[in-house]
Amino acid sequence: MHCLSCDQEIIVEVNWNTLFKPAPEPKLCPSCEAKLERIAGKQCKRCSRLTDQTVCPDCQKWEHHPTLAGALAFNQSVYTYNDFLKEIIAKWKYRGDYVLREAFADAFRDQFNITFKQIKKDAVLVPIPLSDRRLQERSFNQAEALAQVLDTPYQQALTRIHSEKQSKKTRHDRLASANPFQVKTPLNKPVILVDDIYTTGVTLRHAANVLRESGCPKVYAYTLARG
Amino acid sequence: MKSFIHSARSLITPTYEWIPTPSQPSSAPFNDDHASQFHGKLLIREEIPLDDPTFRSYLINQLFTAIPSIEKHLWGHRCRRCGTRAKRHFAPIPCARCDETHVYCRNCIEMGRVLACEPLYYWTGPSPNWSQQDHACHWDGNLTTYQQHASDQIVKSMTTPKAELLCWAVCGAGKTEMVFAGIAALLEQGKRVCLATPRADVVRELVPRFRTAFPHTSIQGLYGGSEQKDTPGQFVIATTHQLLRFAHAFDGMIIDEIDAFPFHHDPSLLFAANRAVKPTAARIYLTATPRKQHRKRVRAGKLATVFVPVRFHGHPLPVPILQLCWQLKKDLAKHQPPKAFFTWYKQRSHPDRQLLIFVPTIELAEKLTRTLQKYFASSGQTIKSVHAADHDRAEKVQQFRNKAYNVLVTTTILERGVTFPSVDVVILDAGHHVFDEAALVQIAGRAGRSPKDPTGEVVFFHDGKTEAIVKAVKSIEAMNKRGRRL
Ligand SMILES: [Zn+2]
Ligand SMILES: [Zn+2]
Ligand SMILES: [Zn+2]
């Protein structure tokens, strides 16, 4: 077994326990694994940012947004978007190294089952879509790939109009941009949106907004990283 | 059965018979520049900057030929771009382009992803008309007797189909000038040549030197992040990694520092170097410290060799002084150089020389620099550290070359390629495993590079001689002996 990130060989210790009941194969070497920071402890109850406040200033601002206020019940993220995760996610989605998903699949599943234990029973997952052009470019949608590791059904209920790369925009541009999403399949159940990164939260709120306008009672977000 | 044998054979040695031969002159319309831009390259669609209609018409007219990118064998896969067949380098992807799940190559993904559903493209249009100059090389310097001898051998090999020659030249032999004539000989016949080197720094340094020496030749410098990937070159100076984009392109190939990392460690680079040349091409290998596999072939008389045992300024190589320090590991754990270092430092014969200190790890380089800063501050000596993870690496090296500071602490990243005119060289913990024989010889070779200061002190501080240390000293002495004999 080699580390998916640094390609170092991973030496798995064999003891009496692992001999009879093999542990799941590690995907990252201990030193790469240690660079991932799980979000734990005090965080904003709306967006998962690490803070002592119950609701962080950004989320307080969102409550006054003319059109997007209240669109999203809350977001839960799994990891802090640190330099290491930034590098891995970039390699995963921009270079297209699909298998890197396995590096965080287990944690992504575990956290989901904790946070959405009750909610997931009658909710449906909706991965944030890519525009057709972007999907052709990357040949997979990272949000869909994440939704697939969860044991809750997902539906491609949204479509996205092609626009400039999100990562090239400033915060101001992003907040001011028009809603790129359209509802393909209206859903009248609670929805858990799935995406790779929560940065400003505007993308997820745009998606939540169109879903709610088409009859969805409540929208949550579940993301791999809190930027 | 036949395919089984074929498959089994290809497990052991990669074959290149899938590379198409360029067709005869085509009547299809195309832009002349594209022949020189794409000739001999093996590219994924994303690397071909043509719009879809143009690209499609080129494909229909067989100016480009599509080649399956990943071979499927009974034993697994092989990527045709990088040659890997390691299982872990092939991962499945549910692909939205073709709606199927298939593999992609993880090994060469940094150069753009190779998907099994997408071909590699190879130029099969007319070959470019490279210029045929009467005199390609305008360098008018003089070669030493040894350089001249090597240069003559290189010319002879370069112009002989399938020839192979190992040029075993000491650090500071002046190898760049020795290959000028060989390169010129092929360029003058309208042929295409490549000089491959493991390091981007070296490409950046060589390109202007060759442009001056070969003013009327189109020269292309290729390394990760270089900007002019599309300007075609009759003469290509590239990092070994960039060879992953070539197939049957060159009539002659010079591989610089054939023993060096990463060529030595990454089998896909050897695959790429073999594929990048035409089957008839000549190959020249340059090295100061050949690896076992090459030495074996030399001894067995299976690899022609030319020695250049003397530096271009005629002085022998400095022989390292070995200094045993029992407390070395303890001192280094405290980020302190051993006492013997200070003793040597105070008594060195040319205190005006700059000092290069090699240490085994990045961490030690940084911490030791902090310790020494305090020590040197009183005498007005300035010190910096440079290592692989350093963003200002190029700038700091240049500053040291400009004598902007006195002492440079570094790791094996500066073991080769870089030259400073007047330095003493020290290794702290020369017995550490990162310092293999080749590294030690290369490091010692940093001293005495300039004709104005052709000597220099080289001291290996260690806490027990390793085989590598003993062999490195022996090999330096052997070269000096060979130099005296000639
Ligand atoms: Zn918040
Ligand atoms: Zn490959
Ligand atoms: Zn495909």
Side-chain angles (χ1 to χ4, degrees), chain B residues 291-366:
Chain B
R291 298 273 168 188
K292 228 190 231 147
Q293 104 216 47
H294 281 126
R295 288 189 196 199
K296 240 195 217 155
R297 288 183 62 201
V298 170
R299 270 199 306 271
K302 285 182 180 153
L303 181 57
T305 311
V306 58
F307 287 95
V308 186
V310 177
R311 296 182 149 183
F312 75 97
H313 55 50
H315 292 261
L317 298 163
V319 180
I321 297 159
L322 307 184
Q323 178 67 58
L324 180 68
C325 319
W326 293 110
Q327 302 279 341
L328 187 66
K329 290 276 192 312
K330 267 192 193 162
D331 290 331
L332 294 180
K334 287 181 276 177
H335 317 127
Q336 290 281 351
K339 262 209 189 89
F341 167 79
F342 294 111
T343 317
W344 166 81
Y345 181 76
K346 282 180 217 147
Q347 298 174 349
R348 62 188 185 137
S349 61
H350 292 73
D352 49 323
R353 275 188 201 136
Q354 285 174 290
L355 177 59
L356 251 179
I357 302 176
F358 286 85
V359 295
T361 65
I362 292 177
E363 196 201 344
L364 186 58
E366 287 184 334

Side-chain angles (χ1 to χ4, degrees), chain A residues 11-217:
Chain A
I11 289 126
V12 185
E13 221 180 291
V14 179
N15 54 37
W16 287 112
N17 288 328
T18 59
L19 193 61
F20 293 113
K21 191 174 167 278
E25 276 187 355
K27 306 295 180 191
L28 295 179
C29 70
S31 105
C32 284
E33 187 71 55
K35 291 185 206 156
L36 287 172
E37 293 174 66
R38 274 292 282 270
I39 294 176
K42 284 193 175 167
Q43 46 191 288
C44 167
K45 67 174 189 180
R46 294 279 156 74
C47 74
S48 220
R49 166 187 286 167
L50 288 172
T51 169
D52 283 336
Q53 290 163 294
T54 346
V55 177
C56 76
D58 279 346
C59 289
Q60 287 176 24
K61 263 187 237 158
W62 274 119
E63 283 171 15
H64 302 292
H65 194 280
T67 54
L68 299 173
L72 209 56
F74 67 81
N75 165 69
Q76 175 71 55
S77 304
V78 181
Y79 294 112
T80 304
Y81 194 43
N82 62 12
D83 286 348
F84 179 69
L85 189 56
K86 219 174 261 182
E87 208 178 287
I88 292 208
I89 290 185
K91 198 171 175 208
W92 181 43
K93 62 182 204 185
Y94 300 126
R95 292 268 174 224
D97 198 355
Y98 182 79
V99 74
L100 281 175
R101 175 185 70 169
E102 303 311 318
F104 20 74
D106 288 344
F108 197 69
R109 200 178 300 119
D110 292 348
Q111 185 61 52
F112 181 79
N113 292 337
I114 297 168
T115 307
F116 296 96
K117 193 174 177 211
Q118 295 304 322
I119 300 165
K120 71 174 185 178
K121 286 177 195 158
D122 25 45
V124 59
L125 301 175
V126 174
I128 294 293
L130 296 176
S131 66
D132 283 347
R133 196 169 122 191
R134 192 74 71 225
L135 181 62
Q136 283 302 308
E137 237 170 65
R138 293 197 191 149
S139 79
F140 71 93
N141 174 2
Q142 73 277 4
E144 189 181 359
L146 283 172
Q148 283 165 345
V149 307
L150 305 175
D151 57 2
T152 301
Y154 76 93
Q155 211 169 338
Q156 290 284 20
L158 298 171
T159 56
R160 183 183 200 148
I161 300 151
H162 189 77
S163 67
E164 234 184 296
K165 278 193 179 141
Q166 282 286 319
S167 50
K168 283 193 182 153
K169 291 183 187 167
T170 63
R171 182 182 164 85
H172 180 81
D173 289 346
R174 286 201 214 184
L175 295 182
S177 59
N179 195 326
F181 297 108
Q182 280 174 348
V183 176
K184 197 161 62 174
T185 330
L187 296 165
N188 54 6
K189 312 192 226 189
V191 161
I192 305 168
L193 290 167
V194 179
D195 204 1
D196 53 345
I197 313 164
Y198 181 108
T199 312
T200 59
V202 65
T203 309
L204 288 157
R205 281 180 175 81
H206 274 150
N209 208 35
V210 292
L211 284 166
R212 299 203 13 161
E213 278 170 1
S214 72
C216 174

Side-chain angles (χ1 to χ4, degrees), chain B residues 454-472:
Chain B
T455 57
E457 291 178 53
V458 179
V459 191
F460 292 177
F461 294 91
H462 66 94
D463 57 359
K465 270 190 244 177
T466 55
E467 204 190 332
I469 294 178
V470 176
K471 280 189 169 170

Side-chain angles (χ1 to χ4, degrees), chain B residues 16 19 161-163 248-250 274-283:
Chain B
Y16 307 104
I19 302 167
K162 294 189 180 182
H248 289 184
F250 303 106
N274 287 332
R275 189 192 59 203
V277 295
K278 292 181 183 169
T280 52
R283 291 162 226 222

Side-chain angles (χ1 to χ4, degrees), chain B residues 5 57 76 79 89 96 116 134 142 168 170 173 176 204 290 316 319 328 342 361 369 376 393 414 427 445 456 458 485:
Chain B
I5 293 167
S57 83
C79 171
H89 288 153
D134 287 340
N142 291 316
W168 190 338
V170 293
T176 308
R204 278 191 291 263
V319 180
L328 187 66
F342 294 111
T361 65
T369 304
F376 286 130
R393 181 170 136 192
L414 289 193
I427 305 181
V458 179
R485 219 167 44 211

